[in-house]
Amino acid sequence: MKKLFLATALTLTTTFAFANAVDPFTEVKTLVQSNDHTGAFKALEKVAKNNHPDALYNLGYLTEIGQGTAQNNKKALRYYEKAAKQGSSLANFVLAQSYEKGRLGLKANPKKAQSYLEAADRLGSVDAKVEIAEQLFAKRNTQSNQQALAKLAPLVQQGHVAAAYSQATFKINDGFRLRNSTQIQQGLTELHALGQKGHVASLLLLGNLYATGSLIKEDLNKAKIIFTALDQAKVAQAKPALEIINQALAKQAQASNSKKSS
């Protein structure tokens, strides 16, 4: 996931990144706020002449999506590569995902993907740290689990929901594997806390757990409340789940009515 560094007043894109320091981006911000995307792109090009990593990253992103300039994956890739060399954690993470998934015209290359991911981690990318923690969890041994939890711990304390979700789901899955009910409950408590904050992935998982009765007592009505809210928020996975739950509730009601009539 690419990150937003600029104030929320900007509506150009949720992935438009700027440096926090003062401030070579004043002209760019003004043009973005006036919806002059072509002008903003040209202003970014001026900043990028000094090899500013955030400017280069944004030129890459805008070229990738074709906003303020013609869409061109090859040019976007060059901008990302330049930004990565200048120390952009965002660009390194984008390149990691691009080599992993074969995006931007690249052939999938796990070795390069891992190299960029580790660079993004060193440069402070939260997304990279969480992904590396997931890689460590996947090894399923005590040492790697401890390393992953240690990597996530400061992020969880800082309130990063992706890190908290990774930690919670690990506790649930590992607790289930080890038949450790205390660990499972810890993970579920953390998952509920994330759900209360509106974290979509946590709500989807909780909805499925309530619907199937896995690990927690089946409660189709709670599942319906969760998936109804997610459907109203236009979460794609919610609608088919909600349809299945409504069908199950209708069957329950029909069975209950049959018992009463008999």
Side-chain angles (χ1 to χ4, degrees), residues 1-5 10-17 57 61:
M1 181 186 302
K2 303 170 198 170
K3 296 295 184 182
L4 172 67
F5 282 173
L10 289 181
T11 58
L12 173 61
T13 168
T14 57
T15 55
F16 206 76
Y57 167 82
Y61 179 73

Side-chain angles (χ1 to χ4, degrees), residues 49-70:
K49 287 180 179 179
N50 294 320
N51 287 324
H52 197 295
D54 290 338
L56 289 165
Y57 167 82
N58 281 295
L59 288 172
Y61 179 73
L62 293 174
T63 303
E64 181 185 347
I65 66 171
Q67 190 157 298
T69 189

Side-chain angles (χ1 to χ4, degrees), residues 167-180:
Q167 177 180 273
T169 53
F170 163 74
K171 289 181 179 179
I172 293 168
N173 292 327
D174 195 58
F176 182 77
R177 182 177 66 86
L178 298 174
R179 298 182 179 180
N180 185 330

Side-chain angles (χ1 to χ4, degrees), residues 202-212 219 222-223 226-227 245:
S202 296
L203 288 168
L204 284 169
L205 180 51
L206 284 168
N208 284 318
L209 291 175
Y210 279 121
T212 60
D219 191 327
K222 283 186 178 179
I226 291 171
F227 284 118
I245 290 165

Side-chain angles (χ1 to χ4, degrees), residues 8-9 12 32 53 78 86 129 148 151 160 172 183-184 218:
T8 54
L12 173 61
V32 169
R78 288 198 293 270
Q86 296 301 318
K129 292 180 186 298
K151 184 174 282 290
H160 293 289
I172 293 168
Q183 185 172 315
I184 293 171
E218 180 183 295

Side-chain angles (χ1 to χ4, degrees), residues 149-202:
L149 290 170
K151 184 174 282 290
L152 293 175
L155 302 177
V156 173
Q157 291 176 354
Q158 294 163 18
H160 293 289
V161 293
Y165 179 75
S166 179
Q167 177 180 273
T169 53
F170 163 74
K171 289 181 179 179
I172 293 168
N173 292 327
D174 195 58
F176 182 77
R177 182 177 66 86
L178 298 174
R179 298 182 179 180
N180 185 330
S181 59
T182 300
Q183 185 172 315
I184 293 171
Q185 189 55 52
Q186 288 175 346
L188 289 171
T189 299
E190 293 173 12
L191 196 68
H192 275 95
L194 289 169
Q196 289 172 354
K197 295 177 181 178
H199 184 239
V200 170
S202 296

Side-chain angles (χ1 to χ4, degrees), residues 43-95:
L44 272 172
E45 287 181 313
K46 295 178 186 177
V47 181
K49 287 180 179 179
N50 294 320
N51 287 324
H52 197 295
D54 290 338
L56 289 165
Y57 167 82
N58 281 295
L59 288 172
Y61 179 73
L62 293 174
T63 303
E64 181 185 347
I65 66 171
Q67 190 157 298
T69 189
Q71 197 283 331
N72 188 311
N73 283 342
K74 287 185 179 180
K75 286 185 178 180
L77 181 61
R78 288 198 293 270
Y79 281 126
Y80 287 140
E81 289 172 340
K82 288 180 181 178
K85 288 178 181 178
Q86 296 301 318
S88 168
S89 64
L90 291 170
N92 275 281
F93 187 72
V94 169
L95 289 169

Side-chain angles (χ1 to χ4, degrees), residues 227 238-249:
F227 284 118
K239 185 176 288 295
L242 185 59
E243 290 174 355
I244 292 170
I245 290 165
N246 282 333
Q247 291 171 4
L249 284 168

